[in-house]
Amino acid sequence: PPYESIVLRERLCGHCGRVSPSVLERVRTIRLVIPPNGDLEYAWGLEMSPKQWSRECHQAACAACGNKDECRQRTTTLRPAQFICVQVVRLAYDSSRQRVVRNSSAVRIPRQLHFDATQTCELRAAAIHVGESNARGHLMAFRALSNKRPRLENGLGAALSLTHPNSTLTAQQQGPSPALAWFWINDATVTKASLQELDAASSAVCMLFYELSDQASSSRIMRHL
């Protein structure tokens, strides 16, 4: 599927130093825990770094010593998906209040994410959730579309009005790529928007969607097996 990546997981036991056998996994959603500084690019590096043992893991006991409390992981992406779905983890268990609470911290949204030096994905959409829990609230979205498309229609053949009433940004200020235009989608309402407006709503971002900018060769996976 175009939204499924194949990754290689390796785990390092912090107790005996043994590296577990590599495991191939199919990944459809990459979950990023919000770091204290709110930098999601940093969180991406912890989760998807192919070069260093970075993220702590507690899923399995070490085959050599049985320890499962001290484990670190590194991930190598063998075949990235064409479309990458990133979940910004907003809910976490608060031990002091003994319940799950929402993390409404603002985050820094990367315009690009890197699997390695040759594979880059670019931001194309974001989902915004306003509400106290996953079960309640309202979903909205930011979406990038090509400026080459002649117009958007409402399904009845009529062109939609895409002027943003509060935007004073010029076309040059709306993003790094002049080939893309950003839109704010709220139910049936579609208005022109900007990356700056997405940044202003970052405390409510729950999902980010990226597109691979350089398609990986299908032979790449074979070089790692």
Side-chain angles (χ1 to χ4, degrees):
Y3 48 84
E4 185 175 82
S5 300
I6 296 179
V7 302
L8 184 71
R9 305 279 196 195
E10 297 175 285
R11 293 182 173 91
L12 173 69
C13 178
H15 183 72
C16 70
R18 182 179 185 272
V19 178
S20 65
S22 302
V23 177
L24 283 175
E25 295 182 12
R26 297 178 182 271
V27 177
R28 296 188 176 185
T29 301
I30 297 170
R31 302 175 75 251
L32 298 184
V33 176
I34 301 173
N37 63 1
D39 189 348
L40 293 183
E41 187 170 7
Y42 172 77
W44 172 271
L46 292 180
E47 181 69 24
M48 302 299 292
S49 173
K51 297 181 179 179
Q52 58 183 344
W53 301 101
S54 54
R55 187 174 72 84
E56 294 183 1
C57 56
H58 308 283
Q59 289 85 351
C62 174
C65 68
N67 177 74
K68 61 180 181 179
D69 296 325
E70 300 176 32
C71 172
R72 301 189 75 80
Q73 176 176 280
R74 67 182 176 191
T75 302
T76 301
T77 303
L78 304 183
R79 191 186 70 192
Q82 181 182 353
F83 303 103
I84 295 92
C85 177
V86 175
Q87 178 189 357
V88 180
V89 179
R90 289 287 181 186
L91 299 181
Y93 182 76
D94 187 331
S95 58
S96 61
R97 288 186 276 182
Q98 296 187 344
R99 63 186 180 92
V100 175
V101 297
R102 181 185 176 94
N103 183 348
S104 297
S105 301
V107 295
R108 287 198 286 277
I109 302 171
R111 306 307 191 240
Q112 294 183 330
L113 291 172
H114 304 277
F115 289 100
D116 56 30
T118 63
Q119 298 179 104
T120 299
C121 55
E122 299 183 357
L123 182 66
R124 290 293 182 263
I128 308 294
H129 180 265
V130 180
E132 295 182 357
S133 70
N134 285 351
R136 296 181 179 180
H138 182 59
L139 278 171
M140 295 160 282
F142 283 88
R143 176 74 167 94
L145 295 174
S146 171
N147 271 327
K148 297 179 181 179
R149 299 186 183 186
R151 66 178 185 175
L152 293 175
E153 295 183 351
N154 63 4
L156 301 176
L160 293 170
S161 173
L162 299 175
T163 57
H164 196 294
N166 300 320
S167 179
T168 59
L169 297 172
T170 66
Q172 288 76 20
Q173 292 173 314
Q174 290 197 8
S177 174
L180 295 176
W182 281 87
F183 297 93
W184 167 251
I185 304 168
N186 184 1
D187 291 335
T189 303
V190 181
T191 55
K192 208 162 188 177
S194 68
L195 283 169
Q196 288 88 338
E197 288 165 309
L198 171 57
D199 289 335
S202 71
S203 61
V205 168
C206 60
M207 301 290 291
L208 295 167
F209 302 89
Y210 291 80
E211 184 175 11
L212 193 66
S213 57
D214 185 17
Q215 292 297 318
S217 169
S218 60
S219 64
R220 175 177 170 80
I221 187 173
M222 300 304 297
R223 296 198 299 267
H224 289 81
L225 298 179

